Amino acid sequence: MTGVTDIRAQIDALPGLDPRAPLLQVEDLHVEFRTRDGVAKAVNGAGFHLSAGETLALLGESGCGKSVTAQAVMGILDTPPAHITGGRVLYRGVDLLRLSEEDRRKVRANRIAMIFQDALSALNPVYSVGFQLAELFRKHRGLSRKDAKQRAIESLDQVRIPAARQRIDDYPHQFSGGMRQRVMIAMALALDPEVLIADEPTTALDVTVQAQIMGLLAELQHQRNMGLILITHDMGVVADVADRISVMYAGKVVEEAPVYDIYARPAHPYTEALLASIPRLDLKGQQLNVIRGLPPALTDIPNGCAFHPRCGYAREICRLEQPPAYRIAGHRESRCHFIREVLGV
Ligand SMILES: Nc1ncnc2c1ncn2[C@@H]1O[C@H](COP(=O)(O)OP(=O)(O)O)[C@@H](O)[C@H]1O
Ligand code: SF4
Ligand SMILES: [Mg+2]
């Protein structure tokens, strides 16, 4: 029989796994969707890294490949239509893209977990939340029915569901949107993952509940020293919570830097445009600077720098050559031919 501690030991015994290796490194990831309408290149060489206790925001307009990147890291893309055509996803030195499905599932449940925007469709509607939580403890930790139920109650307590013991037999639809999001967080954290990917976790909620959920996530992350990848299209959300930001455009990370540096001075025209489009309370009623034009169709990404049709700095070379990643001051990167101009140096 597969004991519980065994699952954790089995993960630790994966060839190449080194507990001292970086927590998560995504390198040159490529994902395409092959459909009847053509090949959509959803992720085109995306890369980033994450350390324990750190929050990385993955930021970009809708459709730029954030969710597909996260799903590739989790190993939950359906093939077909999705095909991972290149890159590596290294967890503690092990390339998850090369693991068997069985090993992948173990890592997924126990080391890397994910929460989604829509808790209602992520939770199973026909089982009580208590049952769904208890199943995790039974399956992965081998707990008895009684102990698993007790752990389920504790899990709901940890995400501050009031009267957890009484609510344990309720079904997902009996919880409010905010409370359902808490249930999903409880499920994701049940097995103590080292990495949590939160994909637009508060987009569907009203502003007050959004702030409560973000606060809760930050607190749980801190307590557990987890690495958190926060996916969002909303630059307003990331300032308070993220340590670093990776800005994505057309399936690539175009700028990566500590939050402070990005707000002080963006090093990429796209980041600059995103910053200019944040609603500001002091400018209430004034027209926002919306980024002109639309993101490209992923079946037809422009040559050169994919941002060139929308970029105020663009010149001839931008149409012809993809900009390489330039390192700035040793701790940030930007993919722009005219980085000096953007930085004003
Ligand atoms: N199931 C799918 N079939 C075909 N194309 C898809 C599918 N899922 C995503 N895509 C493509 O991948 C692109 C990126 O999607 P996604 O990662 O969900 O964007 P976002 O940054 O908003 O999370 C979409 O614009 C779409 O073209
Ligand atoms: S490489 Fe050219 S088009 Fe791309 S962001 Fe820089 S200036 Fe704009
Ligand atoms: Mg998405």
Side-chain angles (χ1 to χ4, degrees), residues 254 267-270 304-315 317-319 321-323 334-339 341-342:
V254 292
H268 194 281
Y270 179 57
C305 172
F307 189 54
H308 82 248
R310 305 173 75 187
C311 180
Y313 295 83
R315 278 178 245 154
I317 187 176
C318 304
R319 271 176 272 281
E321 283 179 33
Q322 284 198 18
S334 167
R335 287 176 186 271
C336 174
H337 291 301
F338 297 105
I339 184 169
E341 206 168 299
V342 179

Side-chain angles (χ1 to χ4, degrees), residues 131-315:
F131 178 84
Q132 293 182 57
L133 269 164
E135 272 300 284
L136 284 173
F137 295 117
R138 281 161 56 80
K139 229 160 85 190
H140 291 270
R141 297 288 179 268
L143 297 194
S144 68
R145 227 172 257 283
K146 184 160 163 272
D147 290 345
K149 182 170 179 186
Q150 184 52 37
R151 287 290 296 278
I153 294 169
E154 288 164 14
S155 295
L156 292 184
D157 253 343
Q158 272 169 16
V159 295
R160 307 237 186 73
I161 303 246
R165 189 172 292 277
Q166 282 77 51
R167 301 224 56 187
I168 196 89
D169 295 322
D170 286 355
Y171 290 82
H173 74 266
Q174 293 174 280
F175 290 81
S176 68
M179 287 297 152
R180 246 184 336 252
Q181 207 52 291
R182 287 171 192 261
V183 171
M184 192 158 55
I185 295 171
M187 291 201 54
L189 298 189
L191 302 175
D192 280 324
E194 288 177 279
V195 176
L196 178 66
I197 305 177
D199 189 354
E200 313 251 10
T202 61
T203 304
L205 306 172
D206 72 49
V207 181
T208 322
V209 182
Q210 260 185 26
Q212 289 165 357
I213 297 287
M214 288 312 303
L216 175 68
L217 271 177
E219 185 187 322
L220 292 167
Q221 175 204 24
H222 193 69
Q223 277 170 11
R224 294 157 181 249
N225 199 33
M226 265 184 326
L228 174 64
I229 298 178
L230 177 65
I231 296 180
T232 178
H233 65 274
D234 182 353
M235 195 139 195
V237 168
V238 300
D240 296 335
V241 287
D243 299 302
R244 279 185 302 119
I245 303 186
S246 284
V247 180
M248 274 187 87
Y249 190 79
K252 257 193 187 34
V253 172
V254 292
E255 173 164 10
E256 190 261 292
V259 169
Y260 174 83
D261 295 270
I262 291 225
Y263 279 83
R265 191 174 278 282
H268 194 281
Y270 179 57
T271 318
E272 196 177 73
L274 284 177
L275 270 172
S277 65
I278 302 179
R280 284 176 45 184
L281 288 175
D282 54 329
L283 298 180
K284 213 171 182 177
Q286 290 189 29
Q287 174 100 39
L288 281 181
N289 285 319
V290 178
I291 307 176
R292 64 179 179 159
L294 291 171
L298 298 175
T299 44
D300 192 17
I301 296 176
N303 287 333
C305 172
F307 189 54
H308 82 248
R310 305 173 75 187
C311 180
Y313 295 83
R315 278 178 245 154

Side-chain angles (χ1 to χ4, degrees), residues 33 35 40 42 60-69 81 199-200 231 298:
F33 288 89
T35 67
E61 285 164 293
S62 174
C64 71
K66 305 181 296 293
S67 295
V68 174
T69 300
D199 189 354
E200 313 251 10
I231 296 180
L298 298 175

